[in-house]
Amino acid sequence: MLTTQALHHPSNLYGGRLTIDPEAIATNWRLLESRTGPATECAAAIKADGYGTGQDKAAPALFETGCRTFFVAVPTEAVALRQIVPEAVIYVLDGLFPDTSEHFLNHDIRPVLGSLAELEEWAGLCKAAGKSLDAAVHVDTGIHRLGLSPEEFRTAMTDKGLLGPFRPSLIMSHLACGSTPDHPMNRRQLDFFTEITGPFAGIPRSLANSAGVLMGEDYHFDMVRPGIALYGGQAIESKPNPMTPVAKVEARIMIVRDVPEGDTIGYGATQTARRPLKNAVVAAGYADGMLRRASSTDERPGGFGMIGGYKAPILGRISMDMITLDVTDVPEHLLRRGAYVEMLGPQVAAADLAAYAETIDYEYLTSLGRRFERVYGPLT
Ligand SMILES: *Cc1c(COP(=O)(O)O)cnc(C)c1O
């Protein structure tokens, strides 16, 4: 089936352009890698199609710069990734779905075993094979999503009858509050992880996501698993973002029009012109990942775009296919029909937009651009 995305159309037929820079992803990996000691491996979380950037481009860039271990969420992502990086180690964070082990073995993919049931199923497989088959074991240190409870972990890991020949290739846990380093939960999880995995120090251990990498060596153990920071996101809320931007969204101006003082703009008439305004209507909306929650009302400002260095605040509601921007103070020559406006990128940080939308930049990135022209290269 040919979808609109499968065809590549002339650029000027698209409402907008999504540019992704795989080299910037590699640069970000090298920066994170440099923050860890020589005994720590820097892996990459590349789930959700590389946080929306496209794993077919992100994975080769990461592999070429030295990354050898990748974490995806679900088996389908792993099977697709195996074709892209044949020599990499691939872990599936969601673990072993029922009756899927043959696929894991056929594609050389490792589950992150997140429950006793999964561990038992995998250990049974190892017994049948008469050898250990690579898989990670996830222990819950407080987030209460996936992972064996500490009691299950302690009991299972010392039960030779249960494990058979199985020996985990990795023991991992996940931080609940990494984005706020001062949260006491971080230290508690760190101490707990250190204690509970202590008896298994011969097995590689991993606790840190992006925030964990930036929080310092205590959190690094044998492997770190950054995701958002690789894609230019802001892992730690309170600090300046040290990462290089990876994605840029530009939307095209369709029309520029005058709005008389007192008139309203957009669906729901939620925003009133307080003075005579000039607005630009651009061809991007929530169907393109421009989250509707970043809309503007008379009570509460929304997000913004950037045109030639000028800030253009969103006016009224973001609709499915378009956004209206306040360009009253933007010079006329920048407002050509068809001109591009940056809606996210080096000048419009996803984390800043996310603050207006009461979300995090992860949601912006993973929502982006199924209808835009996709271009891979520098963001200039
Ligand atoms: C998504 C994920 C990561 C990466 O997290 P970031 O915050 O994006 O760095 C690491 N570990 C697990 C278990 C995850 O689910």
Side-chain angles (χ1 to χ4, degrees), residues 222-233:
D222 304 296
M223 182 190 284
V224 293
R225 317 182 302 270
I228 191 70
L230 293 173
Y231 311 102

Side-chain angles (χ1 to χ4, degrees), residues 4 14-15 26 81 90 114 124 135 148 170 188 193 227 316 323 328 360-361:
T4 49
Y14 289 93
L81 182 60
I90 301 175
L148 277 71
L170 182 74
R188 229 183 298 147
F193 186 67
I323 296 175
T328 313
I360 49 177
D361 46 5

Side-chain angles (χ1 to χ4, degrees), residues 133-155:
L133 302 165
D134 290 325
V137 171
H138 190 162
V139 56
D140 178 27
T141 50
I143 196 170
H144 287 101
R145 299 191 315 187
L146 300 178
L148 277 71
S149 74
E151 299 72 40
E152 287 172 334
F153 179 80
R154 277 199 197 94
T155 313

Side-chain angles (χ1 to χ4, degrees), residues 285-329:
Y286 61 77
D288 303 290
M290 297 283 102
L291 305 178
R292 188 170 174 276
R293 293 191 302 284
S295 294
S296 171
T297 69
D298 287 334
E299 285 75 44
R300 177 183 168 279
F304 60 95
M306 291 293 291
I307 311 174
Y310 291 84
K311 193 166 179 173
I314 289 173
L315 288 169
R317 287 220 182 121
I318 293 172
S319 41
M320 185 187 291
D321 314 305
M322 58 190 99
I323 296 175
T324 48
L325 297 171
D326 183 350
V327 294
T328 313
D329 302 323

Side-chain angles (χ1 to χ4, degrees), residues 132-324:
S132 185
L133 302 165
D134 290 325
V137 171
H138 190 162
V139 56
D140 178 27
T141 50
I143 196 170
H144 287 101
R145 299 191 315 187
L146 300 178
L148 277 71
S149 74
E151 299 72 40
E152 287 172 334
F153 179 80
R154 277 199 197 94
T155 313
M157 288 294 289
T158 50
D159 183 346
K160 290 265 170 7
L162 187 155
L163 293 181
F166 176 57
R167 189 175 161 78
S169 51
L170 182 74
I171 298 174
M172 57 163 271
S173 194
H174 191 44
L175 295 170
C177 303
S179 62
T180 43
D182 293 338
H183 200 293
M185 185 92 176
N186 292 310
R187 194 28 88 167
R188 229 183 298 147
Q189 284 190 275
L190 172 62
D191 292 344
F192 198 31
F193 186 67
T194 306
E195 183 209 314
I196 198 166
T197 60
F200 314 103
I203 301 173
R205 294 182 289 173
S206 176
L207 177 63
N209 59 354
S210 302
V213 179
L214 300 174
M215 271 156 56
E217 229 170 313
D218 286 357
Y219 288 84
H220 293 171
F221 293 90
D222 304 296
M223 182 190 284
V224 293
R225 317 182 302 270
I228 191 70
L230 293 173
Y231 311 102
Q234 182 147 5
I236 292 182
E237 282 161 13
S238 53
K239 285 195 192 161
N241 186 358
M243 312 316 294
T244 304
V246 162
K248 181 162 78 168
V249 169
E250 298 159 290
R252 293 163 73 89
I253 295 176
M254 296 181 284
I255 67 169
V256 176
R257 69 189 313 146
D258 295 313
V259 184
E261 184 176 353
D263 277 12
T264 62
I265 301 119
Y267 281 129
T270 57
Q271 184 135 44
T272 314
R274 297 262 183 253
R275 56 176 177 148
L277 293 180
K278 196 159 49 160
N279 87 17
V281 186
V282 299
Y286 61 77
D288 303 290
M290 297 283 102
L291 305 178
R292 188 170 174 276
R293 293 191 302 284
S295 294
S296 171
T297 69
D298 287 334
E299 285 75 44
R300 177 183 168 279
F304 60 95
M306 291 293 291
I307 311 174
Y310 291 84
K311 193 166 179 173
I314 289 173
L315 288 169
R317 287 220 182 121
I318 293 172
S319 41
M320 185 187 291
D321 314 305
M322 58 190 99
I323 296 175
T324 48

Side-chain angles (χ1 to χ4, degrees), residues 12-28:
N12 57 9
L13 296 185
Y14 289 93
R17 177 165 67 194
L18 169 59
T19 309
I20 308 280
D21 184 0
E23 272 313 304
I25 300 174
T27 300
N28 287 336

